[in-house]
Amino acid sequence: MTSLAGPRTKTRRRLDAGWSLLVSDAGQYAAPADIPSTGRRLPATVPGTVAEALETAGRFDRTQPLPLADRDFWYLLDLTGETPGPYRLVFDGLAVIAEVFLNGERILESRSQFVWNEVPVTLRGDDALAIAFRALNPHLKASGPRAKWRPQMISPPGMRMVRATLLGHMPGWCPEIDAIGPWRPIHLVRQGGIEVDELRMGASLNAEGHGVLDLSFRFSGRATDLRIACGTQQAPVMISAEGGLHAHLTLTDVKPWWPHTHGEPHLYPVSLIADGAAHPMGKVGFRNVSLDQSADGKGFGIEINAVPVFSRGAVWTTADIVRLPGGRADYEPWLRLARDAGMNMIRIGGTMAYEAREFFEVCDELGIMVWQDFMFANFDYPVADPEFAGLVRREAEDLLKSLQGSPSLTVLCGGSEIYQQAAMMGMPQKSWSGPLTEELLPAVYEEYRPDVIYVPNSPFGGAMPFSPNEGITHYYGVGAYCRPLEDARRANVRFAAESLAFAHVPEQVTLDAHLPVPAVHDPRWKTRVPRDRGASWDFEDIRDHYLQDLYGFDPARLRREDPVRYLDFSRAVTAEVTEATYAEWRRPGSSCAGALVWTLQDLLPGAGWGVIDSTGLPKPVWHGIRRAFRPVQVVFSDEGTNGLYVHVINETSSDLELRLEVSALRDGMQPAVSGTRDISLPARGSQSIAATDLFGAFFDTTYAFRFGPPSHDVTVARLMSGGDEIASAFHFPRGRMAAMHAANLAAELGNDARGPFIAISTDRLAQSVNLGFEGFIPDDNWFHLAPGKPKLVRFARHGEGDERPTGEIRQLGSSNVIRL
C-alpha cells in the first residue's frame, strides 16, 4: 500500500532517528524483555547496517572486516509520545533473518532481505519497537535440497538457501562484509489517509507519436471525484467490472524519453486528483522498447522508439559497501559521473543488491537505461520448495511494484551466470534452465513490466550460453583470457553484458591519501586487487599482460627499476585497451550492439575493477571510456591490405556538417601524407571512408605491404565542427612504443565565462598526456595530443581545493613535468 502525501493528508512518517543497537551472542536473548537494562547500546542509523553503526563507533574496519554472521543484533526504538490509535508499520527491507517486536510481542518474522513487510498495529502512546537480526550462520549451515552444482565463486554454499545479497560473500571480489540490519527505511503509517495499492502505470508512444498513459490501481480514502493528471491533461478514473480503478490518457503534445546519447530524457509528472487536491504519483517518460535480433536471429540490439541504440556503460556495484545506501544523495554523484562519461546504460547485476526507487528516478532524469538482474547468480536455486518460491515471487513483485512508470528500466534479467556456471561444469542444457528463470520470473515480468525486454539469464544464447557470437555474452577475450586486441572482432560479439575487467590503477592523489604503499607486492595493495577464487593469477596480472603487449616492457622489471613510470603505464594501458576495443565494436559493420564494462565503481581504494575509485574520483580509464563513448565519434580500423578506414558516427537527432582531417605523421610531427573532407552526416547516421580516398593516392597507412621502412609512426584523425575539434583518433602502424616521443609541451592557464581551462600544445605527438590537479576533474585526461591547434581542457570542481587549478602535466614519453 502506498500513502500519497499531498495537500489533504500526510500520514506516513519515516522512523529514522532515535535508534540504538545492542550486540549479543547468538540466541542469548529470545525477546526484548530478556535484555538487561545495563546492556551496552550504540547509536544506530536507520536505514543502515550493523557494520555502519559499528564503524561509526570505531568498532569495525571495512579494510579488515570482522565476521558478523555469528552474532545477534538488536535495534531498539522508544515510540513514546505517538498518538494512540491504529497504524501500520512498513519495513522496506530487513537484512536478513529478522524478528520484530512491539511492546514485547513478536509481530513479524522476515526471512528475506529483498521483500517489504507491512504489519497493522495499534499504538497506545508508550510503545517500544525492537528488531532482532538473528545470526545468519545457522541458516547458512542448514541442509536443503541437493544442489546440481556448487560454484566456487560464492562462499559459503548455503547462500543459495538465503535471500540476501552476495556482496560480502565472494572472496577475492569484494571485502567480506556481512549485510545485516534495517538497510531500507521503516515507516509508521497512520490509518485513514488516501492510499493507492496494486498500481500499474504504463507509458508508451502510439503509431502517431502520441503519449499513451494507462493506469490501474486500488484506492482507499474518501473522495467523490477522482481524476488522473499528466502534463497539461486530465482524465476521469473509471471503475472496472471487477471493481478496480483505471484511467487512460492520450497526450498529443508529449516529447519522447530518450537515452541522453540519442536525445533528451523528457519526463512528465503524474498526479491523482481527489476532490480537487493533487497527490503526486511520480513521473513517467514516454518511450517504446524493442529488441532487434538481426536478420540471422542471433543478435541482441536494443531499440528505443524504433531507433537502434548502441548500449554502453558499466555494471553497478554499490554506492557504499558498508552502508548499502539507497538515497538520492548517495546515487547521484556516481550516476552523474556515468552520464558524464557517455554511459547510457547501467546494469545492476545478480551478485549485487536491488537499489531503491531513487536510483531509477535519477537514471530517468539523466537518460541512463537500466539493465536490472533479479538477485540470482551462479547457484542452482531450490525453487521446487514452495516457501522459497513464494519468497522469490514476493521479491520480484515488490521490486517491479516500486518501478511503475520508470522509463529508464529497459531490460529485466533472470540472474547472472546460472546457465554459464552449469555449462562450464560440463552439465547438459536441461540443467541450465528451469522454472526460476523460465516460468516464475517471466510471469511476474509479464504482469508488472511487460513494456521492457526480459532475458532468462546473462550470458544467454549460442552453442554455449557464454558464446559471444550469439545473444548475450560476458566477454573477457580481451581481458581475463589475454586474447589479442583483434579478438574483439574475431569473437563476433553481439552484446556484452560484462566486459573488459582489469585492475585499474587510480590517480596518484587517491593512492597517496588512502593506500600509500608500494604497488603490487605490498600485502595491503594486493588485498585490494580482485581475483577469481582458486585462480593462479589476478586481474593485475591481466593488466600487466597488456602493458607488455602494447608497450613492450617487462612489467616486473619496470616496476622494480621505475615504479612511478610503471604506475603511469599501468594507468594508460587499460584506457588504451578500452578505447581500441570499443572502436572495433562501434564501427559501422560491427556485429556488436552494446557492451558494458565491469565495473562502475570500486569498493575500497586501490587497483580494483571500478572505472571510478571508491572515493568518487574517476580513474584514468574513465577518461578513455569518455572518449570511446562520444555520441559523435571518429574511429580507425586496420583492415590489413585493404588499408586504414576512418569511421564517423553521429548518434544524435540532428544532421551535422563536419570536417574530417587525417594526417600520417613521420616522427610524430611531419605530415607524410594528409587529406580532408567535408561530411554531411545525417542524424543517426554513419560513414566509412578509406584513408586513401582522402589522400587521393596509395599510401601504406597500415604498413601491411612493407615496401621498405615505414614512412610514418602515427596516423591522426580529427573531426571538426565549426573549427573546433569534437573527436579524434590515433592509429599506430608499428605499435605505440615506435611512436613514443619526448614531446615539448606548452601549457597556459586561462579563465572565461565557462570557468577555468588549460590550453596545451605540443611540437610532436605526446602520448597519454595527464593532468594532476587536485580538487578538479578535467573534461579530458590521459589523452594523446598531436601537433597543431592547442587543445583546451576545462575543469569541473571535485571536492575541496583551491579556486584556481594548480597541478602538474605529464606525458608517457618524457619525465619532464610542467607545473602550473
Side-chain angles (χ1 to χ4, degrees), residues 278-293:
H279 303 272
M281 301 177 74
K283 295 180 180 180
V284 298
F286 294 91
R287 57 94 181 101
N288 295 331
V289 178
S290 54
L291 179 63
D292 178 12
Q293 295 184 282

Side-chain angles (χ1 to χ4, degrees), residues 256-267 287 304 309-312 335-336 338-340 342-346 359-370 406-410:
W257 185 93
W258 290 98
H260 74 95
T261 51
H262 288 66
E264 293 295 324
H266 294 285
L267 297 173
R287 57 94 181 101
I304 301 296
V309 173
F310 185 91
S311 305
R312 66 277 201 167
L335 293 173
R336 285 197 176 277
R339 193 276 311 274
D340 291 347
M343 299 183 187
N344 61 18
M345 176 173 276
I346 292 291
F359 181 96
F360 292 83
E361 289 175 349
V362 176
C363 289
D364 293 344
E365 295 168 13
L366 296 179
I368 300 175
M369 300 179 291
V370 179
S406 170
S408 61
L409 182 63
T410 304

Side-chain angles (χ1 to χ4, degrees), residues 117-169:
N117 293 278
E118 180 181 293
V119 184
V121 297
T122 300
L123 298 188
R124 62 196 189 199
D126 59 347
D127 307 274
L129 182 63
I131 310 173
F133 292 93
R134 298 302 187 182
L136 188 59
N137 277 344
H139 299 272
L140 297 176
K141 295 174 182 177
S143 61
R146 182 179 178 85
K148 298 176 185 176
W149 66 84
R150 177 178 288 188
Q152 190 175 23
M153 184 184 83
I154 302 165
S155 178
M159 286 299 296
R160 71 186 278 263
M161 302 295 297
V162 177
R163 294 310 301 139
T165 178
L166 296 178
L167 288 168
H169 298 277

Side-chain angles (χ1 to χ4, degrees), residues 9-10 17 33 36 100 146-147 153 270 272 501 508 551 611 673 688 787 811:
T9 177
K10 292 185 178 180
V100 180
R146 182 179 178 85
M153 184 184 83
V270 178
L272 174 65
Q508 194 61 40
Y551 295 108
V611 301
V673 66
S688 299
Q811 57 174 308

Side-chain angles (χ1 to χ4, degrees), residues 475 485-493 584-585 587 591 637-639 647:
Y475 176 76
L485 298 187
E486 293 78 13
D487 191 71
R489 177 181 293 202
R490 188 178 300 127
N492 196 28
V493 174
E584 166 57 38
W585 287 339
R587 65 171 177 83
S591 62
S637 66
D638 186 336
E639 304 295 338
H647 309 282

Side-chain angles (χ1 to χ4, degrees), residues 261-262 312 586 630-634 647-660 677-687 689 719-727:
T261 51
H262 288 66
R312 66 277 201 167
R586 289 190 66 195
R630 289 177 289 219
V632 181
Q633 177 70 310
V634 59
H647 309 282
V648 185
I649 302 162
N650 174 22
E651 293 179 329
T652 73
S653 58
S654 302
D655 298 340
L656 298 177
E657 298 296 324
L658 304 169
R659 168 161 284 206
L660 176 64
R677 177 172 295 182
D678 291 328
I679 299 174
S680 296
L681 202 59
R684 324 290 191 202
S686 63
Q687 190 170 341
I689 306 167
L719 194 61
M720 313 294 290
S721 176
D724 294 325
E725 180 184 301
I726 59 174

Side-chain angles (χ1 to χ4, degrees), residues 398-454:
D398 288 352
L399 171 70
L400 298 188
K401 285 178 182 178
S402 73
L403 301 180
Q404 292 300 299
S406 170
S408 61
L409 182 63
T410 304
V411 178
L412 283 170
C413 178
S416 173
E417 296 190 352
I418 298 173
Y419 293 15
Q420 172 175 297
Q421 184 75 68
M424 281 192 163
M425 298 181 77
M427 305 193 73
Q429 185 172 355
K430 63 182 179 181
S431 298
W432 307 346
S433 59
L436 172 65
T437 59
E438 307 282 346
E439 299 171 17
L440 195 160
L441 294 174
V444 179
Y445 144 77
E446 288 284 358
E447 183 176 355
Y448 288 92
R449 284 305 300 260
D451 60 311
V452 305
I453 298 165
Y454 178 81

